[in-house]
Amino acid sequence: MAAGRAFLRAAPSSLAAGAGRFAFACPMALPLLAAAAAGPHRRGRGRGRCYCSASDAARPYVLTTPLYYRLLDKRVVFITGTDEHGEKIATSAEACGRNPKDHCDTISNSYKMLWADLDIEYDKFIRTTDPKHDAVVNDFYSRVLDSGDIYRADYEGLYCVSCEEYKDEKELGENKCCPVHLKPCVPRKEDNYFFALSKYQHQLEDLLTKNPNFVRPSHRLNEVQGWVKSGLRDFSISRASVEWGIPVPNDTKQTIYVWFDALLGYISALLDDGEKASLQQAVERGWPASVHLIGKDGMKMGKSLGNTLEPKDLVNRFGVDAVRYFFLREVEFGNDGDYSEERFINIVNAHLANTIGNLLNRTLGLLKKNCKSTLAFDSIAAADGISLKDNVENLVDKAKDQFENLLLSSACETLMEIGNLGNLYIDEQAPWSCFKQGGESAEKAAKDLVIILETMRIIAIALSPITPSLSLRIYTQLGFTEDQFRTLRWEDTKWGGLKAGQVMMEPKPVFARLETETDEKDQSSSKPTKGGKKKARTKLHRLPLPLRRRSGGTAMSSVSDPQANGDHQPAAEAEMEDNGAQVEEVADSVETMEGVASIALLPSGAISGHFIRLPDSVCYGLHGTPISCERECSRGEDYRLIKLSIIDFKNKREKVVVVECRGHDAARLQNIDHLHGWEDDIVGLVEKKHGNQKFSLSFECETLKADKAAEEHISKYMPNLRGLDAIVNIGKMSISGINLDKDDEPSENAAILQEHLMYGALA
């Protein structure tokens, strides 16, 4: 049985006399999964359906909603299991050389192992071959038969074995192929039992009209209403040619149609093992449910279609939290979505590693350094008169409303907005500087850290239905126990959970940045340089253009207004200094300048920004223009050369170099590895600019600001770049092999460039 698209709220209408309520609602449930050929198969639409598990199984909507309702202290029964009957199952078993029961045992166990890998804790696991399920199905069938809603008739048509249903010719593709499985349907004629669905045409129309929230989202309601209004037809609920199934009670030569059988698994699962099984007993255990997630299939995924996603591989490589977060954040409820590894890594790194993980880690680092990891104030007292508290509380209320309306993608965005506010607050307040000033400034800085950590506590709770493991790690770093985390309720998101004297744990990353397979290979193949150290290699995680149009940006750190005299310590530089951030030297024998850079990437391909050298806080200007040349074919489309000016404002000196640039959003810069393959004029330019110097430069974007966040940054630090749709990259930079204090003669351009860079005139 598929999972999680439509949202049903049980209505009291008795649509099938004596058969219970027609709406197959149930306590919270994972899907019952078809025990097909190889266990957790992939299904989806397009390049890869939007969900983290294969066969619609771990659709995050289904996983997240029960956890949210438990936060509200609601009764939740979390059901999953395997749908094990039907011709498709028997065929798959035969192909594997097993009998159907042994085959289903194997597949059922494989799903249980997958749920463990995905960190899914369910309440009930029902198999439709369980004796209690058999009893409930027989009871249900008999009631419907007694009500006069089942009759016997012949049926002839085109049958899809994979769908296990007859198809209308008008819905089939070329060669009479099923539009879902893309396989030819076969003609079939048999004597079946039918359910008189057409009797309930008007009752269903009235139900859907009078209860617009009965099916969600609204466009799915429109689909259902359109299907009903087109005219309901009676459908076959038995198969004469299928032996692997539950026998029809009044005709053992036929078996019950798998979908008439499997849907009842949500009800039979409510029974305890060993008790006397009956439909009435099961219904009394909690039927109907207030919320039920069901599924609507799109194009299947499979190896033959070349669009498979292996859930276990994703989890093993990236972790459960990353998988759950990405698919919830990127795919709105009721819609399909695309998956690509590059987009996956960029989203997860920007949101979980940067916005959330980095904010917690640097705040705990400052607390350890300046307050011995102990809170000096209650969070309520610390936030007195602070607007951030009100903003966080408003966003928490907004996220709650979004959870309740199954707007889980929007809820993710709202919670990231809280994280962005926290990052913006700590950047603006600059507690690292306030601690150095001492007195009242240091006291204010101690309050600011409490405010940020209280914000993180609230994020951990609100995010727990989506990323439970990450939330637990955050919560325990704030000095709480796992038992305390397990008893949390949504009301605990109220501001005021942190108390004075509370001791935080040792700061350590709660979420490691993800890498592509290419990055991992590059890292493992890096050859040691002189002194036995590997040469530092930057890693590209390029953010696709569509994302930056949607994103509000990630505010991890910002570079303050650059000062030509170099005596002002920018926020990002001070923050990185306090957290011990360092850039590995390229070679021991070459003098290296290390620090942090803030670079605006312009649509024209030009770059403009600043480099702050640590630890002496000297500011250098950066301005680069793309070099017009034929790309070397092996380098890729996002590869280009930049003619980069490095400007020493203090000594009015300028050094021009040529560097490689990859990525048009989240970028990296580095010196050119080799000149083979470039045109002669490019080779000559590089040799002229670098001479015999052992020049090296590396920069990797660690924080990307796009859209509103980028515009705010640019308006503050590079106002003449406003409105140019620039992307801001912030990250560590290392430059070696040049000495601007000695190498070059004073440059007349340096003063002009200084003014232009500071006020953003270079577009």
Side-chain angles (χ1 to χ4, degrees):
M1 185 191 298
R5 286 298 177 88
F7 170 72
L8 303 183
R9 190 175 299 277
S13 305
S14 180
L15 302 176
R21 292 169 177 79
F22 183 84
F24 288 106
C26 74
M28 287 302 155
L30 276 171
L32 303 184
L33 299 133
H41 273 308
R42 290 73 49 193
R43 274 169 142 178
R45 181 186 296 276
R47 278 186 291 152
R49 198 174 200 171
C50 39
Y51 300 107
C52 65
S53 99
S55 179
D56 295 337
R59 288 181 170 177
Y61 300 106
V62 188
L63 305 181
T64 298
T65 310
L67 298 180
Y68 168 71
Y69 278 101
R70 281 177 175 158
L71 276 180
L72 296 181
D73 211 16
K74 303 289 186 181
R75 177 175 178 256
V76 174
V77 181
F78 203 178
I79 300 171
T80 187
T82 43
D83 151 24
E84 301 182 3
H85 290 135
E87 182 178 4
K88 179 171 61 176
I89 306 300
T91 302
S92 297
E94 184 179 2
C96 295
R98 296 191 288 246
N99 66 59
K101 182 61 169 65
D102 290 343
H103 176 72
C104 291
D105 289 344
T106 300
I107 301 305
S108 179
N109 287 333
S110 72
Y111 277 116
K112 290 181 178 179
M113 290 188 289
L114 177 61
W115 296 163
D117 291 338
L118 291 172
D119 197 21
I120 297 169
E121 298 178 1
Y122 49 82
D123 297 309
K124 301 280 190 177
F125 191 100
I126 183 66
R127 298 180 59 182
T128 59
T129 52
D130 289 345
K132 64 180 180 181
H133 178 74
D134 194 313
V136 168
V137 172
N138 274 277
D139 198 354
F140 180 81
Y141 183 95
S142 297
R143 290 196 187 191
V144 179
L145 178 65
D146 292 343
S147 71
D149 288 328
I150 294 177
Y151 62 92
R152 189 168 185 168
D154 290 333
Y155 192 87
E156 183 175 6
L158 292 170
Y159 189 80
C160 174
V161 175
S162 296
C163 288
E164 297 180 291
E165 66 182 14
Y166 289 96
K167 299 288 186 180
D168 288 332
E169 265 196 84
K170 62 183 180 181
E171 65 179 303
L172 300 180
E174 188 177 353
N175 297 323
K176 299 180 180 179
C177 284
C178 167
V180 177
H181 293 92
L182 306 181
K183 296 178 181 179
C185 294
V186 296
R188 181 174 291 182
K189 179 180 180 180
E190 60 183 11
D191 176 24
N192 289 158
Y193 290 90
F194 283 75
F195 174 66
L197 179 62
S198 58
K199 288 174 57 175
Y200 300 98
Q201 174 83 37
H202 299 302
Q203 288 166 274
L204 276 173
E205 288 178 347
D206 291 343
L207 172 69
L208 296 172
T209 300
K210 295 176 181 178
N211 299 277
N213 289 329
F214 188 73
V215 179
R216 296 186 187 180
S218 59
H219 69 273
R220 296 301 182 195
L221 172 64
N222 295 336
E223 285 183 14
V224 174
Q225 287 179 316
W227 176 73
V228 173
K229 290 178 180 178
S230 68
L232 296 180
R233 295 184 301 167
D234 300 348
F235 65 93
S236 169
I237 59 170
S238 73
R239 295 291 184 267
S241 59
V242 178
E243 296 181 0
W244 179 242
I246 298 175
V248 172
N250 61 322
D251 186 351
T252 56
K253 294 181 180 179
Q254 299 207 34
T255 55
I256 294 175
Y257 172 47
V258 63
W259 290 112
F260 200 76
D261 148 21
L263 289 166
L264 292 167
Y266 291 122
I267 300 178
S268 61
L270 299 175
L271 295 168
D272 295 327
D273 292 334
E275 71 173 308
K276 185 178 180 180
S278 70
L279 178 62
Q280 186 61 36
Q281 182 78 359
V283 168
E284 290 175 355
R285 292 296 174 84
W287 194 265
S290 59
V291 178
H292 180 206
L293 298 173
I294 66 173
K296 183 179 185 302
D297 291 330
M299 179 183 286
K300 304 301 178 186
M301 294 178 70
K303 292 180 180 179
S304 62
L305 297 177
N307 60 357
T308 61
L309 279 177
E310 291 287 354
K312 196 166 185 176
D313 290 347
L314 284 177
V315 171
N316 288 341
R317 282 194 63 201
F318 302 122
V320 177
D321 288 317
V323 173
R324 291 169 65 124
Y325 179 81
F326 174 80
F327 290 111
L328 278 167
R329 166 61 176 78
E330 283 300 285
V331 184
E332 194 61 76
F333 174 63
N335 295 326
D336 291 309
D338 291 331
Y339 166 87
S340 73
E341 182 176 298
E342 182 180 46
R343 187 176 183 85
F344 180 100
I345 288 175
N346 281 312
I347 287 286
V348 171
N349 280 343
H351 295 186
L352 301 187
N354 290 355
T355 299
I356 300 298
N358 183 71
L359 178 60
L360 176 66
N361 195 60
R362 60 178 171 155
T363 306
L364 289 176
L366 288 170
L367 188 75
K368 177 183 178 182
K369 179 177 180 180
N370 298 283
C371 305
K372 298 181 179 179
S373 295
T374 303
L375 302 184
F377 301 91
D378 290 347
S379 54
I380 291 179
D384 186 32
I386 303 297
S387 61
L388 176 63
K389 171 180 174 291
D390 296 332
N391 292 334
V392 170
E393 290 177 334
N394 291 336
L395 288 171
V396 167
D397 290 340
K398 181 180 178 181
K400 181 181 180 182
D401 182 68
Q402 289 164 336
F403 272 120
E404 291 182 351
N405 287 283
L406 294 184
L407 301 173
L408 303 185
S409 177
S410 299
C412 289
E413 293 181 1
T414 298
L415 297 178
M416 285 306 111
E417 191 175 345
I418 296 176
N420 287 335
L421 287 178
N423 279 289
L424 184 61
Y425 182 84
I426 197 172
D427 285 345
E428 290 177 342
Q429 303 305 315
W432 46 85
S433 298
C434 294
F435 278 122
K436 293 178 181 179
Q437 296 171 22
E440 293 183 358
S441 295
E443 181 177 307
K444 177 185 177 303
K447 289 183 178 180
D448 289 336
L449 297 187
V450 175
I451 290 169
I452 295 299
L453 292 174
E454 175 68 11
T455 301
M456 291 303 308
R457 186 191 70 85
I458 292 170
I459 290 174
I461 299 172
L463 200 61
S464 63
I466 298 167
T467 57
S469 298
L470 173 61
S471 294
L472 173 60
R473 292 194 295 273
I474 295 172
Y475 211 70
T476 53
Q477 284 214 13
L478 296 176
F480 297 99
T481 66
E482 182 173 347
D483 288 341
Q484 288 174 305
F485 176 78
R486 299 298 180 194
T487 60
L488 288 172
R489 294 295 178 262
W490 188 267
E491 62 188 25
D492 294 313
T493 57
K494 183 178 180 181
W495 190 281
L498 296 181
K499 307 299 179 183
Q502 192 166 339
V503 179
M504 305 289 102
M505 298 294 288
E506 184 79 12
K508 57 183 179 180
V510 292
F511 192 92
R513 286 178 60 82
L514 306 181
E515 297 180 354
T516 65
E517 289 182 341
T518 301
D519 294 332
E520 293 164 356
K521 290 177 182 177
D522 286 347
Q523 192 172 30
S524 63
S525 63
S526 297
K527 295 181 180 180
T529 59
K530 184 177 180 180
K533 294 184 179 180
K534 287 184 178 180
K535 181 177 178 180
R537 297 181 66 96
T538 56
K539 305 175 185 66
L540 168 64
H541 303 309
R542 184 166 66 88
L543 200 61
L545 287 174
L547 176 62
R548 68 180 178 90
R549 301 296 180 195
R550 293 177 53 195
S551 171
T554 302
M556 182 180 80
S557 59
S558 60
V559 179
S560 298
D561 190 15
Q563 303 295 315
N565 59 13
D567 59 4
H568 174 72
Q569 188 177 37
E573 174 266 306
E575 168 202 329
M576 294 185 70
E577 179 185 43
D578 282 340
N579 282 283
Q582 296 180 0
V583 181
E584 185 180 353
E585 292 185 5
V586 175
D588 296 342
S589 60
V590 180
E591 183 179 357
T592 301
M593 297 191 296
E594 300 173 348
V596 61
S598 173
I599 299 174
L601 307 181
L602 301 166
S604 64
I607 67 174
S608 186
H610 310 92
F611 166 61
I612 308 297
R613 187 179 74 189
L614 301 178
D616 48 2
S617 303
V618 176
C619 178
Y620 297 89
L622 302 172
H623 177 66
T625 54
I627 296 175
S628 178
C629 61
E630 294 294 330
R631 292 190 184 94
E632 184 189 36
C633 61
S634 64
R635 305 271 177 131
E637 292 185 359
D638 69 344
Y639 181 92
R640 58 200 182 280
L641 295 183
I642 297 289
K643 184 178 179 181
L644 180 68
S645 294
I646 305 172
I647 303 104
D648 181 351
F649 295 137
K650 183 177 180 181
N651 297 311
K652 294 183 172 56
R653 296 177 186 270
E654 175 188 11
K655 179 69 177 180
V656 178
V657 295
V658 181
V659 296
E660 298 177 355
C661 181
R662 289 186 182 272
H664 295 280
D665 287 334
R668 77 174 185 184
L669 304 175
Q670 67 179 43
N671 52 291
I672 300 175
D673 287 333
H674 61 83
L675 295 173
H676 176 73
W678 292 107
E679 298 167 329
D680 291 342
D681 57 340
I682 300 301
V683 174
L685 175 65
V686 174
E687 291 177 344
K688 178 181 177 182
K689 295 300 181 185
H690 297 180
N692 295 323
Q693 293 176 321
K694 297 179 179 179
F695 166 74
S696 178
L697 180 146
S698 68
F699 169 82
E700 176 185 1
C701 174
E702 295 181 344
T703 297
L704 183 145
K705 295 187 177 184
D707 299 331
K708 183 179 178 181
E711 198 66 16
E712 289 175 351
H713 183 96
I714 289 169
S715 295
K716 189 171 183 180
Y717 305 121
M718 298 175 248
N720 282 357
L721 295 181
R722 286 179 298 190
L724 295 179
D725 197 24
I727 301 295
V728 176
N729 281 209
I730 298 172
K732 293 176 286 188
M733 177 173 277
S734 173
I735 304 174
S736 67
I738 64 172
N739 189 334
L740 288 167
D741 293 332
K742 300 177 182 179
D743 283 355
D744 293 340
E745 293 298 321
S747 170
E748 295 181 1
N749 293 330
I752 300 173
L753 286 169
Q754 174 184 354
E755 180 180 357
H756 285 177
L757 286 165
M758 289 180 66
Y759 297 102
L762 290 173

